[in-house]
Amino acid sequence: MREVAILGIGQTRVDEHWDKSLRVLAGEAVLSAFQEAGLAGVDALFVGNMMSGSANHQQHLGAYIADWVGMRFASGLRIEAACSSGAAAFRSALMAVASGEVETAVAVGVEKMTDSPSDEITADLATASDADWEAGQGLSFVALNALIMRRYMHEYGWKHDDFAAFSVNAHANGARNPNARFQEPITTTEYQRAPMVADPINLLDASPMGDGAAAVILVPAEALHRNSNQPVVRIVASAAATDTISIQNRRDPLRLKAAEISASRAYAQAGITPNDIDLFELHDAFTIMAALSLEAAGFAELGQAPRLAIEGQICPDGRIPIATMGGLKARGHPVGATGMYQIVELTQQLRQQAGEAQISGVRIGMAQNIGGSGSNIIAHILRAD
Amino acid sequence: MREVAILGIGQTRVDEHWDKSLRVLAGEAVLSAFQEAGLAGVDALFVGNMMSGSANHQQHLGAYIADWVGMRFASGLRIEAACSSGAAAFRSALMAVASGEVETAVAVGVEKMTDSPSDEITADLATASDADWEAGQGLSFVALNALIMRRYMHEYGWKHDDFAAFSVNAHANGARNPNARFQEPITTTEYQRAPMVADPINLLDASPMGDGAAAVILVPAEALHRNSNQPVVRIVASAAATDTISIQNRRDPLRLKAAEISASRAYAQAGITPNDIDLFELHDAFTIMAALSLEAAGFAELGQAPRLAIEGQICPDGRIPIATMGGLKARGHPVGATGMYQIVELTQQLRQQAGEAQISGVRIGMAQNIGGSGSNIIAHILRAD
């Protein structure tokens, strides 16, 4: 398959967009990516979205958004893999261009969650877990993660305070990203005093919902003209793996096997090791997920990720910067859009266009998008040159 | 891209499966395809489904079904394109194998609609149209098709009775398919006397909902051992196109432009013309859609498809047999599964394994799956040799 590069990116701020419909949000991101790329349209559209059928009474987003952005008669599909829908759409677009099936593709992740009451959104989110054996028993997503976090603390001896650095880092970075939902730093004391959601997860362990859209245009690397001053960002690895949908069926609920497998496949494709990764946009839907992701992707020993955070190694000047534009915690987690925000932000960083959030000297970055409680995990590695 | 062939097929009967959950239905189809193919699993799973989020409170079907059929750690995605979700999943699986990304893939279409009250399913189906400009105005899917049918009758001078032959043919063929939901032939008089649903569409113009799943395993054609007695079925064309999501925005609501475009792309890929097609599994969700599909795919002049039906040219011994295993009308229309049933049935026909429904001398067949009111149309051409 041929090498693929990013020709344009677009995003809306993550927010409560009361004044913008689903199609307007997606359209803003796509049209802004078209504008940056200097294109009026592309051959194929891939939409990452989880819950528009229930939250917005609108499915069929491939045709719906293709129509809105003026791509009539192009092919258009929606890809759903719960919270990893964004990366799944990106991966599908990548495969379409890499295989030669199309010459240009756009992937857009979009979610509009704030039109619905939060109990309905909580129920929608629970459709990512097992309807019979998890959601049907009353387990919400935050409850599932609370069980995992409690077990992790028990198993490895960490206290709740030891997770503060994940949240503090994310909010500090979000404060430097004009597209983040939350743009205020927080203190450790604020973290400690935040209201409890599902013990031990408090409000500052959990990422916020929101409305947002992010888009990327993909073309064959050989089609790029090198007369631009901007570094070319190539996708050097793409890998996906699933795990049991119910965490109760896993040998060890504290190991994200699908992340271990997809990350190691991605490292092999790119011919690198975790040591070569300069920044890591991980799926910090909850602080515990940031910890498990760092371990599964090879940046910390099992049970030792909080130490990395406490030592500041996850900060912009640390060994492995994470959530560099705020992550899910501060940029926000508009579910089906999140994986695409990760790719857009990685591209901003690798092009040295991340503004105040810029990490210095970055050349290779990884994004890891998680669907369900670790049941679908997709890794991408991007390289600038 | 390399040529791809079908190694195994599986399906459940379309029915009201009160005793089987979504995962059991999908599992039956996938495991039966595995068994036929002599495989225990494949590299990647693509699920076509429209409404499990609302109808079954379960999304994330990639991980969910991969887990259930024992494909842990394989990649798994759900593809949604309203009623064309089945063909969209098949096309995604095809691209994954054709590109070399994976060596083996399974596409499964599944829908479980009878757990919900029919008013909820009607609302779910309406999410395939425009939430603001169609569904939000009270237009259900049958109402949209009724407007199209009324306009067609006005424009071309056909009477309601002139559509009887589509329904009579579908039910006659369904009576020879043990997996069809309705296995009784109907008469023209029964068609004429059927209760009205949305004038001019009556109960025998409309396809029934149902529960069902159908699956296909895809492998590179070169990997097939030719020591079997069974003909090898290759996919020689795959093409998709979208159109405006609202029919009001089309220059001519009686022309399925997305079908014209995707069918002509498919003919070009296969190097054939409509004359070379021996049978055509079209999307007869309503009799009017069968007529428009035949015209858009080049089998009849604009406004003349009912003549083809009246003359018997769509019957098993006619010029272009359609709905050969009952079509959506009699086999049933479990929305996200329908496109996969079309592929499974084409394969049965091309392998000469269609039993009493077998059409003689067939070598090349086309399937056309329609999402929305013609807003997403996907064509596949299969050839046996």
Side-chain angles (χ1 to χ4, degrees):
Chain A
M1 291 200 286
R2 59 189 177 181
E3 202 176 29
V4 177
I6 290 175
L7 186 62
I9 57 175
Q11 63 184 311
T12 65
R13 178 178 170 180
V14 179
D15 209 341
E16 296 189 21
H17 286 292
W18 299 102
D19 56 338
K20 289 175 186 166
S21 70
L22 183 75
R23 82 176 105 204
V24 169
L25 282 175
E28 277 188 3
V30 171
L31 294 173
S32 134
F34 282 173
Q35 186 168 36
E36 195 195 77
L39 296 177
V42 293
D43 299 335
L45 168 74
F46 296 85
V47 182
N49 172 272
M50 180 179 175
M51 55 179 70
S52 74
S54 43
N56 316 106
H57 307 291
Q58 180 69 62
Q59 296 216 82
H60 206 186
L61 300 190
Y64 176 77
I65 295 170
D67 186 11
W68 183 248
V69 301
M71 284 174 60
R72 199 171 296 176
F73 308 137
S75 85
L77 295 180
R78 168 184 169 224
I79 319 292
E80 187 264 319
C83 309
S84 60
S85 298
F90 180 75
R91 185 169 147 79
S92 298
L94 172 66
M95 292 306 151
V97 177
S99 67
E101 168 63 14
V102 299
E103 287 304 305
T104 51
V106 60
V108 58
V110 61
E111 204 79 61
K112 181 146 178 57
M113 308 171 79
T114 67
D115 285 347
S116 308
S118 62
D119 61 327
E120 286 183 17
I121 292 292
T122 299
D124 283 344
L125 286 167
T127 63
S129 63
D130 195 298
D132 298 326
W133 299 325
E134 293 180 325
Q137 316 303 319
L139 267 173
S140 69
F141 241 78
V142 60
L144 277 165
N145 280 275
L147 290 173
I148 296 173
M149 188 168 179
R150 174 63 70 201
R151 178 77 194 174
Y152 186 90
M153 289 161 66
H154 169 79
E155 203 70 45
Y156 296 110
W158 297 104
K159 298 197 179 56
H160 182 258
D161 285 1
D162 297 325
F163 293 84
F166 290 111
S167 193
V168 170
N169 172 65
H171 281 280
N173 295 345
R176 294 187 282 267
N177 175 10
N179 290 309
R181 175 149 189 202
F182 295 134
Q183 299 179 24
E184 296 272 340
I186 64 158
T187 64
T188 300
T189 310
E190 284 169 324
Y191 172 81
Q192 289 163 334
R193 293 185 183 166
M196 191 54 73
V197 181
D199 190 8
I201 289 179
N202 76 20
L203 200 62
L204 289 174
D205 286 301
S207 57
M209 63 175 75
D211 307 329
V216 164
I217 291 172
L218 294 171
V219 295
E222 75 242 19
L224 280 187
H225 298 294
R226 295 302 304 271
N227 52 10
S228 144
N229 289 326
Q230 183 167 282
V232 171
V233 175
R234 295 160 198 271
I235 298 97
V236 294
S238 174
T242 56
D243 199 346
T244 68
I245 190 151
S246 299
I247 54 171
Q248 75 205 20
N249 291 335
R250 295 187 198 150
R251 195 175 295 261
D252 181 350
L254 302 182
R255 282 182 72 170
L256 297 177
K257 289 294 286 181
E260 291 176 18
I261 291 167
S262 55
S264 69
R265 281 181 194 158
Y267 295 141
Q269 281 175 31
I272 63 172
T273 71
N275 283 331
D276 299 306
I277 302 285
D278 299 318
L279 78 165
F280 181 26
E281 290 303 335
L282 50 64
H283 192 92
D284 56 333
F286 301 95
T287 50
I288 180 64
M289 274 294 134
L292 297 189
S293 295
L294 282 163
E295 295 167 12
F299 297 102
E301 296 295 312
L302 287 181
Q304 299 309 311
R307 188 175 318 281
L308 214 62
I310 292 164
E311 289 172 353
Q313 301 298 333
I314 61 166
C315 296
D317 57 353
R319 153 71 200 94
I320 181 69
I322 65 170
T324 68
M325 310 289 280
L328 282 63
K329 181 69 202 79
R331 174 242 296 129
H333 183 26
V335 178
T338 290
M340 287 304 306
Y341 275 101
Q342 293 179 321
I343 299 290
V344 165
E345 291 163 358
L346 259 188
T347 305
Q348 290 180 290
Q349 289 285 3
L350 296 175
R351 284 176 172 178
Q352 315 290 324
Q353 293 175 342
E356 290 181 32
Q358 184 65 49
I359 312 285
S360 63
V362 290
R363 205 178 133 255
I364 300 181
M366 181 161 75
Q368 189 183 67
N369 196 194
I370 304 184
S373 306
S375 44
N376 210 335
I377 306 189
I378 304 177
H380 285 101
I381 299 176
L382 276 59
R383 193 186 70 215
D385 52 28
Chain B
M1 290 202 286
R2 59 188 177 180
E3 203 176 29
V4 177
I6 290 174
L7 186 61
I9 57 175
Q11 63 184 312
T12 65
R13 177 177 171 181
V14 179
D15 210 339
E16 296 189 20
H17 286 291
W18 301 101
D19 56 336
K20 289 175 186 166
S21 70
L22 183 74
R23 83 176 104 206
V24 170
L25 282 174
E28 277 189 4
V30 171
L31 294 173
S32 136
F34 282 172
Q35 186 168 36
E36 196 194 78
L39 296 176
V42 293
D43 299 334
L45 168 74
F46 296 85
V47 182
N49 172 272
M50 180 178 174
M51 55 179 70
S52 73
S54 42
N56 316 106
H57 308 291
Q58 180 69 62
Q59 297 217 81
H60 206 187
L61 300 190
Y64 176 78
I65 294 169
D67 185 12
W68 184 249
V69 302
M71 284 173 61
R72 198 171 295 178
F73 309 137
S75 86
L77 295 180
R78 167 184 169 224
I79 319 291
E80 186 263 320
C83 310
S84 60
S85 299
F90 181 74
R91 184 168 148 78
S92 298
L94 172 65
M95 292 305 150
V97 177
S99 68
E101 168 65 13
V102 300
E103 287 304 304
T104 51
V106 60
V108 58
V110 61
E111 204 79 63
K112 180 142 178 61
M113 308 171 78
T114 67
D115 285 346
S116 308
S118 62
D119 60 329
E120 287 182 16
I121 292 293
T122 299
D124 283 344
L125 287 167
T127 63
S129 64
D130 194 299
D132 299 326
W133 299 326
E134 293 180 325
Q137 315 303 318
L139 268 172
S140 69
F141 240 79
V142 61
L144 277 166
N145 280 275
L147 291 173
I148 297 173
M149 188 168 179
R150 176 62 71 199
R151 177 78 193 173
Y152 185 90
M153 289 162 66
H154 169 81
E155 202 69 49
Y156 296 110
W158 297 106
K159 297 196 180 57
H160 182 258
D161 284 1
D162 297 325
F163 293 84
F166 290 111
S167 192
V168 170
N169 171 64
H171 280 280
N173 295 345
R176 294 187 282 266
N177 175 10
N179 291 308
R181 175 149 189 202
F182 295 134
Q183 300 180 24
E184 295 272 338
I186 63 158
T187 64
T188 301
T189 310
E190 284 168 324
Y191 173 82
Q192 289 163 333
R193 292 184 183 166
M196 191 55 71
V197 180
D199 189 9
I201 290 180
N202 77 22
L203 200 63
L204 287 174
D205 286 301
S207 57
M209 63 176 74
D211 307 329
V216 164
I217 291 171
L218 294 172
V219 295
E222 76 242 20
L224 280 187
H225 297 293
R226 295 300 306 271
N227 53 10
S228 144
N229 289 325
Q230 184 167 281
V232 172
V233 175
R234 295 160 198 271
I235 299 97
V236 294
S238 173
T242 57
D243 198 346
T244 68
I245 191 151
S246 297
I247 53 172
Q248 73 205 24
N249 291 335
R250 294 185 200 153
R251 197 176 292 263
D252 181 350
L254 301 182
R255 282 182 71 171
L256 296 177
K257 289 293 288 181
E260 292 176 19
I261 290 168
S262 55
S264 69
R265 282 182 194 157
Y267 295 141
Q269 281 174 32
I272 62 172
T273 71
N275 283 331
D276 300 306
I277 302 287
D278 298 318
L279 77 165
F280 181 25
E281 289 304 334
L282 50 64
H283 192 92
D284 56 335
F286 301 95
T287 50
I288 180 64
M289 275 293 133
L292 299 188
S293 294
L294 282 164
E295 294 168 13
F299 296 103
E301 296 296 311
L302 288 180
Q304 299 309 311
R307 188 175 319 281
L308 214 63
I310 292 163
E311 289 172 354
Q313 300 299 334
I314 62 166
C315 295
D317 57 352
R319 152 72 198 94
I320 182 68
I322 65 171
T324 68
M325 309 289 278
L328 281 64
K329 180 69 203 79
R331 173 241 296 127
H333 183 25
V335 178
T338 291
M340 288 304 307
Y341 274 101
Q342 292 179 320
I343 298 290
V344 164
E345 291 163 358
L346 260 188
T347 306
Q348 290 180 289
Q349 289 284 3
L350 295 174
R351 284 177 173 177
Q352 315 291 325
Q353 293 175 342
E356 289 182 32
Q358 185 66 48
I359 312 287
S360 63
V362 290
R363 203 178 135 254
I364 301 181
M366 182 161 74
Q368 190 182 65
N369 195 194
I370 304 185
S373 306
S375 45
N376 210 337
I377 306 189
I378 304 176
H380 285 101
I381 299 176
L382 276 59
R383 193 186 71 216
D385 52 27

